[in-house]
């Protein structure tokens, strides 16, 4: 049973527009959420995170929103750039447990 | 900037052969993870170390996989014998401690079993 779900395998967005990547989770014990970005043939790199006590965290062009009641989080990228094209993984932690990942969403930013 | 090192980057082997992957975490990171990522899926934990001790290996197929971190620094993941279904990216990550500490990933080892 997947605890972290990314239901959109892929997303295409025009350069300069907003990219919205979504993530749902089932484990209400998750208390910390992260987004990782992955280019082909490389390991995932950390992008942004949010604690369960917050509902928003912003870092430059990247904003993560958390809706605990809906067990849903989203990553907004504004404005989207061609270099943002990658696979984005949503991940979650409960206490001291290891990261649990979703299946990823492949973002393509079209110039 | 400190990085997690992994080798080899690519490995091609025939089924029933033995393979080994090496990981050197960021200096001072007590927690080390091995993840496996099958194409189209997210990374899945194989084993977690805290210093030299295994904390979680519940998802490690112990009939063919083994992992060690003898001195609590670098780590080796071994598969013997390799099967076709083991073809995947094997990712090593490290963090200062378990829990909400940022996990840094290495570049991974892409394994192809023929």
């Amino acid at each position: 049973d997947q605890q972290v779900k990314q239901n959109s395998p892929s997303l295409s967005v025009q350069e300069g527009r907003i990219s919205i990547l979504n993530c749902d989770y089932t484990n209400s014990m998750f208390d910390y959420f992260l987004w990782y970005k992955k280019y082909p043939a490389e390991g995932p790199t950390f992008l942004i995170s949010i604690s369960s006590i917050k509902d928003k965290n912003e870092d430059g062009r990247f904003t993560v929103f958390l809706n605990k009641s809906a067990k849903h989080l989203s990553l907004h990228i504004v404005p989207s750039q061609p270099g943002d094209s990658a696979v984005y993984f949503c991940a979650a932690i409960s206490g001291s447990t290891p990261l649990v990942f979703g299946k990823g969403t492949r973002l393509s930013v079209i110039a | 900037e400190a990085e997690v090192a992994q080798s080899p980057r690519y490995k091609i082997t025939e089924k029933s052969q033995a393979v080994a992957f090496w990981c050197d975490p960021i200096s001072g990171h007590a927690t080390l993870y091995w993840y496996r990522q099958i194409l189209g899926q997210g990374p899945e934990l194989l084993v977690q170390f805290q210093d030299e001790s295994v904390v979680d290996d519940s998802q490690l197929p112990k009939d063919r996989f083994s992992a060690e971190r003898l001195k609590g620094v670098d780590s080796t993941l071994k598969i013997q014998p390799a099967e076709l279904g083991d073809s995947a990216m094997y990712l090593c990550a490290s963090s200062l401690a378990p829990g909400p500490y940022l996990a840094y990933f290495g570049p991974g080892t892409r394994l192809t079993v023929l």
Side-chain angles (χ1 to χ4, degrees):
Chain A
D1 180 34
Q2 258 204 314
Q3 298 185 68
V4 177
K5 300 177 183 179
Q6 293 177 258
N7 292 319
S8 298
S10 62
L11 174 68
S12 289
V13 173
Q14 278 201 312
E15 181 179 7
R17 305 296 291 268
I18 184 171
S19 296
I20 300 177
L21 294 90
N22 293 304
C23 177
D24 297 292
Y25 61 95
T26 58
N27 187 345
S28 58
M29 299 300 291
F30 285 143
D31 53 11
Y32 199 66
F33 303 89
L34 304 90
W35 285 92
Y36 279 82
K37 175 179 177 181
K38 186 179 184 302
Y39 292 116
E42 294 184 12
T45 55
F46 170 74
L47 192 58
I48 193 169
S49 63
I50 188 167
S51 165
S52 60
I53 63 172
K54 294 187 175 182
D55 55 17
K56 177 182 176 182
N57 187 28
E58 192 171 354
D59 183 3
R61 297 186 297 113
F62 303 92
T63 303
V64 56
F65 295 92
L66 175 62
N67 182 333
K68 282 187 66 178
S69 61
K71 294 191 178 68
H72 176 83
L73 62 155
S74 60
L75 173 67
H76 293 210
I77 306 173
V78 182
S80 301
Q81 299 174 354
D84 296 330
S85 297
V87 177
Y88 289 79
F89 290 102
C90 173
I93 291 176
S94 168
S96 62
T97 61
L99 287 167
V100 178
F101 286 87
K103 290 187 176 183
T105 296
R106 180 178 302 278
L107 173 65
S108 299
V109 180
I110 305 163
Chain B
E1 182 178 300
E3 295 180 341
V4 177
Q6 287 189 249
S7 67
R9 292 292 307 275
Y10 303 92
K11 179 70 177 178
I12 300 174
T13 190
E14 294 185 342
K15 63 179 182 179
S16 79
Q17 296 298 303
V19 293
F21 314 132
W22 177 79
C23 172
D24 191 13
I26 292 172
S27 178
H29 281 195
T31 305
L32 185 146
Y33 308 89
W34 283 101
Y35 281 84
R36 176 170 61 182
Q37 186 195 0
I38 296 170
L39 196 62
Q41 304 289 318
E44 294 180 332
L45 181 74
L46 290 174
V47 61
Q48 175 188 352
F49 288 92
Q50 183 64 28
D51 299 308
E52 67 277 6
S53 300
V54 172
V55 173
D56 183 350
D57 63 356
S58 57
Q59 301 304 310
L60 189 71
K62 298 182 190 60
D63 56 335
R64 298 184 301 107
F65 286 64
S66 64
E68 60 183 16
R69 194 184 183 199
L70 294 176
K71 297 183 179 179
V73 181
D74 59 335
S75 175
T76 302
L77 178 69
K78 297 178 181 177
I79 308 175
Q80 182 174 17
E83 296 181 353
L84 296 177
D86 297 331
S87 295
M89 173 79 88
Y90 290 83
L91 295 161
C92 179
S94 70
S95 64
L96 281 171
Y101 291 89
L102 185 56
Y104 295 85
F105 283 81
T109 296
R110 168 69 67 187
L111 173 67
T112 301
V113 181
L114 303 175

